[in-house]
């Protein structure tokens, strides 16, 4: 796997979404780390769903089901947490 | 339409590579499209959260501590899994050097702020 982080892209994305926010030095690397961990979680969940289905390849429905679970887990705001408690 | 997607997300080749690396299985084309879509959504939430954390601390700059808080809330960073360890596991050496210039694990000398 290519290991370099798309640092400028991450900064640009941030600028596009939140033009008034700045990013401290090397914070984009932590954002990249978070992206990696998000994708890992999503991948593991997708894999599990495919295994449940006894499917040899990942199909869209597995990814959709996994995304639902992981979306709640990767919320940094309260909404996700409260929804999962309910 | 493609350009719109490009504006708001990482290059799809990168997402594809990383996801394929972690999933260790054949992935259909449509499934990749779903993954890309969820990455897109993820970024939207991410930047909203970071903005909230920074403004809560009265800052206009997103700092590393905001990211640590985020990962704590995502239960990626816990007491048993500190951020340093995640960095060591997932980022290459040249980035680790930037983020952890001095070893921090088990170091009790760092003063509390």
């Amino acid at each position: 796997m290519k290991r370099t982080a798309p640092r400028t892209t991450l900064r640009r994305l941030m600028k596009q979404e939140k033009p008034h926010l700045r990013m401290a030095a090397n914070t984009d690397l932590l954002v990249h780390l978070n992206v990696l961990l998000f994708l890992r979680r999503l991948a593991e969940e997708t894999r599990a769903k495919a295994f449940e289905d006894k499917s040899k390849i990942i199909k869209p429905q597995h990814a959709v089901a996994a995304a639902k679970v992981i979306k709640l887990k990767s919320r940094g705001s309260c909404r996700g947490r409260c929804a999962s408690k309910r | 339409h493609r350009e719109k997607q490009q504006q708001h997300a990482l290059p799809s080749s990168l997402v594809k590579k990383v996801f394929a690396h972690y999933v260790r299985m054949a992935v259909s084309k449509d499934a990749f499209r779903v993954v890309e879509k969820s990455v897109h959504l993820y970024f939207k939430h991410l930047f909203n959260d970071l903005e909230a954390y920074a403004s809560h601390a009265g800052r206009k700059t997103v700092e590393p501590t905001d990211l640590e808080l985020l990962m704590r809330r995502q239960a990626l960073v816990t007491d048993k899994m500190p951020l340093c360890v995640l960095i060591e596991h997932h980022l290459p050496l040249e980035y680790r050097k930037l983020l952890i210039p001095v070893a921090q694990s088990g170091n009790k000398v760092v003063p509390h702020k």
Side-chain angles (χ1 to χ4, degrees):
Chain A
M1 189 176 72
K2 200 180 138 214
R3 306 260 284 167
T4 44
R7 301 189 66 169
T8 355
T9 313
L10 287 171
R11 279 176 176 277
R12 203 189 58 224
L13 284 176
M14 174 95 176
K15 259 275 109 65
Q16 269 170 4
E17 284 284 312
K18 309 281 169 200
H20 51 281
L21 269 186
R22 292 167 38 124
M23 220 191 245
N26 295 330
T27 312
D28 51 337
L29 289 178
L30 288 174
V31 173
H32 178 63
L33 175 66
N34 200 240
V35 177
L36 287 182
L37 292 170
F38 167 77
L39 278 173
R40 186 176 71 151
R41 261 185 173 173
L42 189 66
E44 305 261 295
E45 192 67 35
T46 313
R47 211 176 135 75
K49 296 279 181 209
F51 267 111
E52 258 175 46
D53 237 15
K54 297 204 174 74
S55 169
K56 288 263 179 188
I57 64 163
I58 305 289
K59 288 176 189 162
Q61 65 260 34
H62 306 139
V64 171
K68 262 183 198 162
V69 181
I70 300 307
K71 202 172 78 184
L72 283 182
K73 277 194 186 172
S74 16
R75 278 270 171 88
S77 51
C78 179
R79 273 182 296 162
R81 191 160 300 207
C82 302
S84 61
K85 252 183 203 171
R86 244 179 264 146
Chain B
H1 180 74
R2 211 191 127 102
E3 288 219 339
K4 222 176 190 181
Q5 279 281 318
Q6 283 285 316
Q7 270 182 5
H8 291 283
L10 290 177
S12 60
S13 62
L14 179 77
V15 173
K16 207 171 177 176
K17 254 183 220 161
V18 174
F19 187 77
H21 172 81
Y22 284 128
V23 83
R24 312 194 295 278
M25 263 171 101
V27 183
S28 79
K29 241 182 190 175
D30 289 334
F32 265 128
R33 218 158 287 148
V34 175
V35 171
E36 266 178 50
K37 223 174 172 184
S38 49
V39 169
H40 175 65
L41 266 179
Y42 155 83
F43 267 110
K44 242 185 189 169
H45 288 304
L46 177 81
F47 292 135
N48 280 339
D49 292 335
L50 290 180
E51 185 187 28
Y53 295 160
S55 72
H56 178 77
R59 282 189 261 107
K60 282 181 180 173
T61 313
V62 174
E63 283 182 9
T65 45
D66 296 327
L67 262 298
E68 189 175 355
L69 175 63
L70 178 76
M71 288 194 230
R72 231 171 232 288
R73 298 206 62 163
Q74 290 173 344
L76 291 168
V77 172
T78 55
D79 292 341
K80 283 185 185 157
M81 178 55 75
L83 182 61
C84 302
V85 176
L86 285 177
I87 291 171
E88 279 165 19
H89 282 180
H90 292 276
L91 292 185
L93 182 62
E94 60 266 31
Y95 295 153
R96 192 203 302 176
K97 271 183 191 161
L98 293 174
L99 291 167
I100 320 175
V102 181
Q104 287 175 1
S105 68
N107 184 0
K108 304 260 161 61
V109 190
V110 176
H112 289 286
K113 277 174 197 165

